[in-house]
Amino acid sequence: MDTLDRLQDPEEAETFMQYHARMWRTRYRAEGRFEGLEIGRAEGIRRERELLHGLASRKFDPRTAERLSALLAGADPSRLAEVGNWLIDSETGEELIARVSGTRNGR
Protein backbone atom coordinates (compact mmCIF):
# COMPACT_ATOMS: atom_id res chain seq x y z
CA MET A 1 0.00 0.00 0.00
CA ASP A 2 2.92 2.39 0.59
CA THR A 3 3.89 2.13 -3.07
CA LEU A 4 0.33 2.80 -4.17
CA ASP A 5 0.12 5.84 -1.90
CA ARG A 6 3.30 7.29 -3.46
CA LEU A 7 1.95 7.05 -7.01
CA GLN A 8 0.78 10.48 -8.19
CA ASP A 9 -0.55 9.64 -11.63
CA PRO A 10 -3.99 7.94 -11.54
CA GLU A 11 -3.07 5.85 -14.60
CA GLU A 12 0.04 4.54 -12.84
CA ALA A 13 -2.05 3.67 -9.80
CA GLU A 14 -4.57 1.85 -11.94
CA THR A 15 -1.84 -0.07 -13.79
CA PHE A 16 -0.25 -0.94 -10.47
CA MET A 17 -3.55 -2.26 -9.09
CA GLN A 18 -4.35 -4.25 -12.24
CA TYR A 19 -0.90 -5.84 -12.23
CA HIS A 20 -1.17 -6.88 -8.57
CA ALA A 21 -4.73 -8.12 -9.05
CA ARG A 22 -3.54 -10.38 -11.90
CA MET A 23 -0.62 -11.61 -9.81
CA TRP A 24 -2.92 -12.33 -6.85
CA ARG A 25 -5.40 -14.24 -9.05
CA THR A 26 -2.58 -16.26 -10.63
CA ARG A 27 -1.08 -17.15 -7.26
CA TYR A 28 -4.50 -17.94 -5.79
CA ARG A 29 -5.33 -20.28 -8.66
CA ALA A 30 -1.95 -21.98 -8.50
CA GLU A 31 -2.20 -22.51 -4.76
CA GLY A 32 -5.78 -23.72 -5.06
CA ARG A 33 -4.82 -26.27 -7.68
CA PHE A 34 -1.88 -27.48 -5.64
CA GLU A 35 -4.01 -27.82 -2.53
CA GLY A 36 -6.65 -29.65 -4.54
CA LEU A 37 -4.08 -32.07 -5.88
CA GLU A 38 -2.68 -32.70 -2.41
CA ILE A 39 -6.16 -33.23 -0.96
CA GLY A 40 -7.02 -35.62 -3.80
CA ARG A 41 -3.78 -37.53 -3.36
CA ALA A 42 -4.31 -37.89 0.39
CA GLU A 43 -7.88 -39.06 -0.20
CA GLY A 44 -6.67 -41.65 -2.72
CA ILE A 45 -4.10 -43.00 -0.27
CA ARG A 46 -6.71 -43.13 2.50
CA ARG A 47 -9.07 -45.09 0.23
CA GLU A 48 -6.34 -47.50 -0.81
CA ARG A 49 -5.55 -48.20 2.87
CA GLU A 50 -9.26 -48.80 3.52
CA LEU A 51 -9.43 -51.16 0.55
CA LEU A 52 -6.45 -53.17 1.79
CA HIS A 53 -8.01 -53.30 5.25
CA GLY A 54 -11.29 -54.62 3.85
CA LEU A 55 -9.59 -57.20 1.64
CA ALA A 56 -7.41 -58.44 4.48
CA SER A 57 -10.46 -58.74 6.71
CA ARG A 58 -12.35 -60.65 4.05
CA LYS A 59 -9.50 -62.96 3.04
CA PHE A 60 -8.13 -63.58 6.52
CA ASP A 61 -9.84 -62.04 9.57
CA PRO A 62 -10.55 -58.68 11.23
CA ARG A 63 -7.54 -59.02 13.56
CA THR A 64 -5.17 -59.36 10.60
CA ALA A 65 -6.83 -56.36 8.96
CA GLU A 66 -6.31 -54.25 12.09
CA ARG A 67 -2.66 -55.28 12.35
CA LEU A 68 -2.18 -54.49 8.67
CA SER A 69 -3.77 -51.05 9.07
CA ALA A 70 -1.41 -50.24 11.93
CA LEU A 71 1.60 -51.23 9.81
CA LEU A 72 0.41 -49.12 6.88
CA ALA A 73 -0.30 -45.94 8.86
CA GLY A 74 2.42 -43.90 7.13
CA ALA A 75 3.01 -45.96 4.00
CA ASP A 76 3.44 -44.28 0.64
CA PRO A 77 1.48 -45.30 -2.49
CA SER A 78 4.22 -47.57 -3.89
CA ARG A 79 4.34 -49.48 -0.62
CA LEU A 80 0.55 -49.84 -0.64
CA ALA A 81 0.67 -51.36 -4.14
CA GLU A 82 3.34 -53.79 -2.98
CA VAL A 83 1.20 -54.78 0.00
CA GLY A 84 -1.74 -55.36 -2.34
CA ASN A 85 0.34 -57.89 -4.24
CA TRP A 86 1.45 -59.55 -1.02
CA LEU A 87 -2.15 -59.77 0.13
CA ILE A 88 -3.00 -61.76 -2.98
CA ASP A 89 0.11 -63.96 -2.73
CA SER A 90 -0.05 -64.68 1.01
CA GLU A 91 -1.74 -67.88 2.12
CA THR A 92 -2.25 -66.81 5.73
CA GLY A 93 -2.71 -63.60 7.64
CA GLU A 94 0.50 -64.27 9.54
CA GLU A 95 2.41 -64.57 6.27
CA LEU A 96 1.00 -61.23 5.10
CA ILE A 97 1.86 -59.48 8.35
CA ALA A 98 5.36 -60.97 8.28
CA ARG A 99 5.91 -59.68 4.74
CA VAL A 100 4.63 -56.23 5.55
CA SER A 101 6.63 -55.95 8.74
CA GLY A 102 9.76 -57.04 6.89
CA THR A 103 10.39 -60.50 8.33
CA ARG A 104 8.71 -62.23 5.38
CA ASN A 105 8.67 -65.49 7.33
CA GLY A 106 11.22 -67.21 5.14
CA ARG A 107 9.60 -66.29 1.81
Side-chain angles (χ1 to χ4, degrees):
M1 287 306 280
D2 291 336
T3 303
L4 184 59
D5 290 339
R6 286 191 300 257
L7 295 175
Q8 299 296 320
D9 180 8
E11 286 184 24
E12 280 183 355
E14 185 175 345
T15 301
F16 177 86
M17 292 297 292
Q18 288 174 351
Y19 170 79
H20 284 283
R22 278 193 308 274
M23 293 302 294
W24 179 82
R25 281 192 305 269
T26 301
R27 187 171 60 222
Y28 178 79
R29 286 184 191 130
E31 290 171 358
R33 285 188 198 131
F34 181 73
E35 285 178 25
L37 290 174
E38 287 299 308
I39 290 168
R41 182 176 186 273
E43 178 67 15
I45 292 170
R46 184 188 66 75
R47 286 184 179 176
E48 190 164 354
R49 284 190 187 116
E50 286 179 357
L51 175 65
L52 291 171
H53 180 273
L55 292 173
S57 182
R58 183 172 177 174
K59 182 172 181 179
F60 302 116
D61 56 71
R63 183 173 178 269
T64 298
E66 291 303 320
R67 291 171 62 199
L68 179 64
S69 291
L71 290 170
L72 297 179
D76 63 30
S78 63
R79 176 77 168 162
L80 296 176
E82 184 177 41
V83 171
N85 290 333
W86 290 342
L87 196 148
I88 292 168
D89 295 340
S90 296
E91 294 181 26
T92 67
E94 287 303 316
E95 181 182 349
L96 173 64
I97 296 302
R99 285 179 176 204
V100 175
S101 65
T103 60
R104 293 188 55 130
N105 203 15
R107 285 188 151 197

